[in-house]
Amino acid sequence: LVRLFCDRWNVIGADLLNEPWGATWGEGKPMTDWDTAAAQLGNEILHECPRWLIFVEGIGTGSKEGGTFCDLCFWGENLLGLSHTHLTLSNPARLVYSPHAYGPGTNSKMHYFNRSAYPEYPDNMPAVWEAHFLRPARAAGGTVVVGEWGGVYEGADELWQDRFKAFLLEEKLSSFYWALNPNSGDTGGLLLSDWRTAHKAKQALV
């Protein structure tokens, strides 16, 4: 795939693996350590296509032993491992950390979405995003591009997305919105079910 697409002007990089939720980070476990696998994969790609960016997502729950445990992280959001184990590529300038973040429209069980416990919601959310991915990535000197965010854009989820957009602007972060297609079951899309009509509220958001 790298050899096929490297010269295509509109292909800018490789997202190595979507939401490695069962992985560990920096624990010396060759079968599950995502940081080690991502470095190896990234270097193989850069050997074939030096111009590409290498997008590395966070892990899922992580582990208590490895200091990455986060049962309140969405899959792909957890970059806590960067606090003790950095990821190094042959060309560090090509590395991009790419966490995923979602709101209550995708999983309403996260306690920080509880508006009784957090009457200031969604203004409690920036501290969560900073802890889960932004602070560890910046401490490691990394570039951050949010690889996925989105949702149904109704009720509490609409509040979440509005606040996340503001957070992206405040922190000067680029991002990719999920999704264009309307058949993404837990988020919907930027297109309505006829695959032609734009979801006007989401279109205005992005």
Side-chain angles (χ1 to χ4, degrees):
L1 287 174
V2 177
R3 293 175 187 140
L4 181 63
F5 291 109
C6 182
D7 292 332
R8 303 292 179 91
W9 68 269
N10 57 345
V11 180
I12 65 170
D15 189 337
L16 298 180
L17 182 64
N18 183 52
E19 298 178 348
W21 57 271
T24 53
W25 188 295
E27 295 188 31
K29 298 178 179 178
M31 297 299 293
T32 58
D33 273 358
W34 175 227
D35 57 306
T36 303
Q40 181 178 349
L41 289 168
N43 286 333
E44 291 280 353
I45 290 171
L46 290 175
H47 178 73
E48 297 289 340
C49 190
R51 74 173 186 86
W52 272 11
L53 297 172
I54 303 300
F55 291 86
V56 178
E57 299 179 22
I59 59 176
T61 303
S63 74
K64 293 180 180 178
E65 295 83 357
T68 59
F69 183 72
C70 182
D71 59 350
L72 297 175
C73 285
F74 280 85
W75 289 357
E77 186 182 21
N78 183 349
L79 288 174
L80 296 177
L82 287 172
S83 64
H84 57 76
T85 305
H86 293 182
L87 193 158
T88 304
L89 294 180
S90 56
N91 182 353
R94 301 286 94 190
L95 175 61
V96 179
Y97 293 112
S98 188
H100 292 186
Y102 284 101
T106 302
N107 182 351
S108 62
K109 296 180 181 179
M110 301 298 194
H111 78 86
Y112 43 70
F113 297 148
N114 186 326
R115 296 169 75 178
S116 296
Y118 296 93
E120 72 275 25
Y121 174 87
D123 288 331
N124 63 312
M125 291 307 307
V128 174
W129 301 320
E130 289 170 7
H132 288 179
F133 62 85
L134 187 58
R135 191 179 304 124
R138 284 190 167 164
T143 297
V144 177
V145 174
V146 176
E148 285 186 23
W149 66 286
V152 295
Y153 204 59
E154 298 172 355
D157 190 74
E158 180 178 351
L159 295 175
W160 184 94
Q161 291 193 57
D162 287 343
R163 188 64 188 88
F164 193 69
K165 175 187 175 180
F167 177 76
L168 293 173
L169 294 173
E170 290 161 6
E171 299 296 340
K172 297 179 173 60
L173 298 175
S174 296
S175 68
F176 294 93
Y177 189 86
W178 186 270
L180 176 63
N181 49 293
N183 59 344
S184 177
D186 56 356
T187 65
L190 288 166
L191 296 177
L192 299 180
S193 58
D194 63 2
W195 288 78
R196 294 177 178 272
T197 307
H199 188 302
K200 292 183 179 179
K202 288 187 180 181
Q203 187 180 42
L205 173 72
V206 299

